Amino acid sequence: MTPLSYALLGLVHQEPRSGYALRKVFETTPLGNYSSSPGSIYPALKNLEKSGLIVSRPQGTRKAVFVMTPAGRQAFETWLAQPVTRDDVARSMDALMMRFALLHDHPDHGLTRCFLTAFAAACREEMAGLDAFMSGEMWAQMPLQSRLAVQFGRATTETAADWADGALRQLETEWGG
Amino acid sequence: MTPLSYALLGLVHQEPRSGYALRKVFETTPLGNYSSSPGSIYPALKNLEKSGLIVSRPQGTRKAVFVMTPAGRQAFETWLAQPVTRDDVARSMDALMMRFALLHDHPDHGLTRCFLTAFAAACREEMAGLDAFMSGEMWAQMPLQSRLAVQFGRATTETAADWADGALRQLETEWGG
DNA sequence: CCCCCCATGTAACATGTTACATGATTGA
DNA sequence: TCAATCATGTAACATGTTACATGGGGGG
């Protein structure tokens, strides 16, 4: 199961869609940087079908769409509930954002809360790691531009942490009533 | 030529290094998220050698290191001077940061200036694109969490643009005398 | 002497990109 | 009817990951 597979699974979970409709989502929305090339989507869909997570349902005169199976729902839930690690934050931000967006469809707000707090915590862990590196003996010997590049990573991570705080507040307001 | 190839080329340009030394750089510094697995580094080095961009120079009793050839220097220069596109900013931030860090070794500060201004411009272009999307008709129909995910992308891009401004100021001070 | 780390590599595998092929619909 | 777009796919290729293999050298 690749990130792309999960993204497709989540989109099919939102509503039954055809392969082409799924491609269109990646083409027309700036959610994550997944490719919409047929060479990636169709093989991934075949794979999901072979694994029994989705099935193709013919639509009478209209073209067939994929729908989720119980096993697919199960796999999707498991994915949504996975922990957020420091490594995810450093390396797979796109996949995390896709997961966050797809969490929307889950009725249990606790999962989203949990995701956002874990995300913010992982960001701050990563920031602490970078701060430690910036205090190490290597730091002084690095050329200025390498240091600036590291500082870029730190700034980006801080923005991510702040975003998570804001998002959580906004969602609590939305839900909270 | 992949991003990893260019990163290796740039590190060899800084100083002659062995394959293991190159792996260590990726393992011990948070510059970019390149893998340090032997399965990626060694084949890439072979490839660079076959293309005539680096050569292995035996070091008497010590182990051989790779050094750059004139053709390698040429390819490296060309890579450093490449334009920064909006697409790069949206999809290959890591590669851009690696390029920026490696620009340090170039004597011509104009290249770095050019990179940073183009980088900031590309970020602001991307921000404008996201803003346009957030004004489109799709926006209102998207679930809140998808919108938050897009806003995350926007915030990150803005941080990047601001970073570039700050980095340029800092470098001008450093150079400026 | 033996174990651990240095150091280099390879094989199997998964993934994704580009480019091409194909047929159905639909609007001018 | 002709072109464009919808819609699905495949083949060649590059890349990278994981896991394994191998040999040398230094320290307990």
Side-chain angles (χ1 to χ4, degrees), chain A residues 158-176:
Chain A
E158 187 166 23
T159 298
D162 293 346
W163 168 86
D165 294 342
L168 191 53
R169 269 197 308 275
Q170 207 168 324
L171 285 168
E172 295 288 5
T173 306
E174 172 93 0
W175 298 329

Side-chain angles (χ1 to χ4, degrees), chain A residues 34-104:
Chain A
Y34 294 97
S35 157
S36 66
S37 72
S40 56
I41 306 280
Y42 291 112
L45 285 170
K46 284 262 178 222
N47 217 335
L48 286 171
E49 202 174 12
K50 204 176 58 184
S51 310
L53 304 183
I54 60 176
V55 288
S56 173
R57 186 212 288 161
Q59 288 286 83
T61 129
R62 324 194 29 172
K63 69 180 163 302
V65 294
F66 291 102
V67 297
M68 219 175 204
T69 64
R73 193 157 294 122
Q74 170 68 45
F76 183 55
E77 294 269 330
T78 305
W79 178 64
L80 287 181
Q82 241 160 22
V84 179
T85 70
R86 181 182 157 187
D87 199 79
D88 290 332
V89 161
R91 293 214 203 322
S92 339
M93 205 53 110
D94 275 2
L96 289 180
M97 278 304 129
M98 179 52 83
R99 223 169 97 190
F100 173 73
L102 292 172
L103 263 170
H104 178 83

